[in-house]
Amino acid sequence: MKNFILKGDICFSNDKNIINTAENSYAICVDSVCKGVFSDIPQEYCNLPVLDYTDKLIIPGLTDLHLHAPQFSFCGLSMDLELLEWLNKNTFIEESKYSDSGYARKAYSIFADALKNSATTRACIFATIHLEATKLLMDLMENTGLVTYIGKVNMDRNSPDILIESSAQKSASDTEKWLIDTVNKYQNTKPIITPRFIPSCSDELMECLGELAKSFNIPAQSHLSENKDEIEWVKELCPDCTSYGNAYEKFGLFGNNTKTVMAHCVHSSDNEIELMKKNGVFIAHCPKSNTNLSSGIAPIRKYLDNNMKLGLGSDVAGGETLSMFSSIAETIKVSKLYFRLIDSSAQPLTFENAFYLATKGGGEFFGKVGSFDKGYEFDAVVIDDSVLPHPQKLSVKERLERAIYQNADLMGLKAKFVRGQKTI
Ligand code: GUN
Ligand code: FE
């Protein structure tokens, strides 16, 4: 069913500073596209079926711009390490297990089920270096009805023997095989070029990946300026580059030629920020791993005021949960610490700002996604916030804020629609 009407208490952004609310109103979906929100059903739509979610909150689906499927298994474990140690001591060991398709099936089934049952409707996902396991993840994600980009990870240097590709050529040829198999295979699941980060990819490999992104006309994702030791390492590896971002740009993998999303950008230099702005690189702000991995806090107020392309990522397992409600609340919290401890001219994010980032901000990576404005693809989630009883009268926006801070996406998810298809 792609033509229907949702009735309930509707909240959405069309501007980074405003949340529109419409109590007891109607969001209209025709051919998987939103026709707008109305207080009464317009005459032309009066024959469409109404799905009645009276007293429930209805919001656009959330976009998780950055997470790692193979890391879901160790969410909330070993959270006392910094990035490079955390990668070596547990991440790479866990990811190496995905060479075993049996293990991958078991783990990825759990992951796909959890993401299906969350408020996320769109996601940019890292898999591992393994071809078969990545294809399996794509099959499983296609069955969830979510719209996702999934990346076979590339790593041909500075990685442990258990998780490294034997050469740049082998990594590139595996990637090409995977692209041929998957680029037109699915309706909702698409491949994305995924060099893990500059330290783990040789120039020779990066050059091949830039060419593959261009010839298959697909986007790219990676990590950028997350941790100070990592940035120093990149300087040693790429002495000629003007910034860490320039090390991707050199190969056409930084918004030039290729739509790109970069996770973190915690310590980006002015030069790097300029380059991201100029090239329209999307930033996936991951507040949870900013704190869990002691990376530091990304200057998100600056990025927002600078009108950069910006959304939120859970960064599972740098983030301990794939709940995007939790990432919205965390975005506000870390922006307050940034204001208090780092730069008193950077005003903390408002609730409106953070909600916008998780919906329309990140949704833009997927096109017209993340709002109920006319013409947006119809992604919606219905939240029953009566799981959080309260004695006083609250406005619709207050109920939304409370539902988000108290993780009602986990307890109160009633229904989910992706491109007009009901998935829960
Ligand atoms: N940088 C390179 N790999 C990773 C990863 O798996 N997680 C995070 N947070 N940063 C990375
Ligand atoms: Fe990450």
Side-chain angles (χ1 to χ4, degrees):
M1 184 175 58
K2 291 191 170 172
N3 300 335
F4 57 88
I5 297 173
L6 299 186
K7 179 182 187 200
D9 298 332
I10 300 170
C11 311
F12 66 102
S13 300
N14 44 22
D15 177 285
K16 65 186 174 189
N17 295 313
I18 298 169
I19 296 175
N20 300 300
T21 60
E23 196 164 5
N24 208 22
S25 292
Y26 303 89
I28 294 176
C29 175
V30 174
D31 290 336
S32 310
V33 172
C34 188
K35 293 291 175 186
V37 171
F38 302 89
S39 52
D40 296 294
I41 300 173
Q43 188 58 33
E44 59 185 307
Y45 303 122
C46 67
N47 290 327
L48 296 185
V50 176
L51 306 184
D52 190 352
Y53 296 110
T54 298
D55 296 331
K56 316 275 185 292
L57 295 167
I58 300 174
I59 62 174
L62 305 180
T63 291
D64 189 340
L65 269 188
H66 181 79
L67 77 164
H68 299 259
Q71 297 176 18
F72 187 61
S73 56
F74 67 91
C75 269
L77 294 175
S78 304
M79 298 263 68
D80 50 356
L81 302 172
E82 289 195 26
L83 175 67
L84 299 177
E85 224 189 341
W86 177 81
L87 289 174
N88 283 318
K89 288 211 172 140
N90 52 60
T91 308
F92 293 159
I93 294 168
E94 180 62 19
E95 288 193 16
S96 73
K97 296 181 190 166
Y98 290 74
S99 62
D100 171 353
S101 295
Y103 186 78
R105 177 171 293 283
K106 198 163 156 187
Y108 281 157
S109 299
I110 295 170
F111 169 79
D113 214 38
L115 203 60
K116 179 182 161 81
N117 289 304
S118 75
T120 298
T121 54
R122 310 264 171 161
C124 294
I125 302 173
F126 281 53
T128 62
I129 59 174
H130 310 101
L131 212 57
E132 289 314 312
T134 302
K135 290 196 275 188
L136 181 63
L137 175 62
M138 294 177 90
D139 289 346
L140 291 165
M141 284 310 302
E142 181 71 6
N143 290 338
T144 65
L146 272 63
V147 176
T148 59
Y149 284 114
I150 294 180
K152 187 206 96 62
V153 172
N154 298 95
M155 304 167 72
D156 75 330
R157 68 173 179 185
N158 297 320
S159 306
D161 292 346
I162 51 165
L163 191 71
I164 190 166
E165 297 171 292
S166 55
S167 68
Q169 297 91 312
K170 172 83 169 99
S171 177
S173 69
D174 270 5
T175 304
E176 187 172 14
K177 266 191 238 154
W178 163 68
L179 290 174
I180 291 167
D181 281 356
T182 60
V183 74
N184 294 316
K185 183 174 179 191
Y186 308 100
Q187 198 182 347
N188 289 333
T189 313
K190 297 289 172 198
I192 181 168
I193 291 289
T194 306
R196 180 172 210 117
F197 63 162
I198 291 294
S200 63
C201 296
S202 66
D203 281 8
E204 188 186 350
L205 173 57
M206 290 296 284
E207 189 159 345
C208 298
L209 296 181
E211 281 164 15
L212 287 171
K214 207 159 115 185
S215 62
F216 283 85
N217 191 23
I218 56 169
Q221 61 180 353
S222 195
H223 296 94
L224 183 68
S225 297
E226 177 177 6
N227 166 291
K228 288 192 173 165
D229 293 340
E230 170 207 15
I231 294 169
E232 284 309 307
W233 194 12
V234 171
K235 272 191 193 143
E236 283 166 27
L237 291 166
C238 312
D240 300 334
C241 289
T242 52
S243 65
Y244 189 162
N246 177 235
Y248 293 106
E249 192 199 22
K250 256 177 39 184
F251 302 104
L253 294 170
F254 205 62
N256 49 340
N257 297 324
T258 300
K259 182 168 73 169
T260 304
V261 55
M262 286 287 160
H264 305 299
C265 310
V266 176
H267 304 287
S268 291
S269 62
D270 289 347
N271 174 309
E272 185 167 281
I273 293 171
E274 265 313 298
L275 199 55
M276 285 193 277
K277 168 107 180 159
K278 176 164 89 69
N279 291 358
V281 171
F282 280 77
I283 298 168
H285 174 46
C286 304
K288 287 179 168 293
S289 57
N290 283 188
T291 54
N292 282 330
L293 302 178
S294 325
S295 299
I297 304 171
I300 215 67
R301 165 57 64 196
K302 180 156 75 179
Y303 297 154
L304 193 67
D305 287 354
N306 210 355
N307 292 320
M308 299 182 68
K309 294 192 183 297
L310 193 57
L312 302 185
S314 66
D315 195 26
V316 156
E320 74 281 6
T321 162
L322 45 70
S323 159
M324 289 305 292
F325 274 20
S326 183
S327 279
I328 294 173
E330 210 75 10
T331 294
I332 302 168
K333 293 184 211 174
V334 299
S335 78
K336 289 178 174 173
L337 290 178
Y338 190 89
F339 162 76
R340 180 62 63 205
L341 301 174
I342 300 173
D343 180 358
S344 61
S345 74
Q347 284 300 307
L349 263 60
T350 61
F351 174 58
E352 285 83 352
N353 294 156
F355 182 73
Y356 165 86
L357 292 179
T359 53
K360 196 175 174 189
E364 193 188 333
F365 193 74
F366 291 82
K368 289 187 91 170
V369 170
S371 177
F372 291 133
D373 270 349
K374 189 168 179 211
Y376 273 68
E377 291 186 50
F378 199 92
D379 287 13
V381 292
V382 179
I383 304 290
D384 179 3
D385 63 321
S386 72
V387 295
L388 302 167
H390 53 90
Q392 79 279 43
K393 177 136 184 65
L394 294 175
S395 69
V396 171
K397 196 165 85 179
E398 286 170 329
R399 282 170 49 207
L400 175 67
E401 186 172 7
R402 195 166 166 275
I404 285 179
Y405 265 91
Q406 298 193 33
N407 291 339
D409 55 341
L410 303 179
M411 302 172 290
L413 190 70
K414 277 305 266 192
K416 175 153 116 174
F417 301 82
V418 188
R419 284 185 174 154
Q421 292 286 359
K422 192 168 188 299
T423 61
I424 299 182

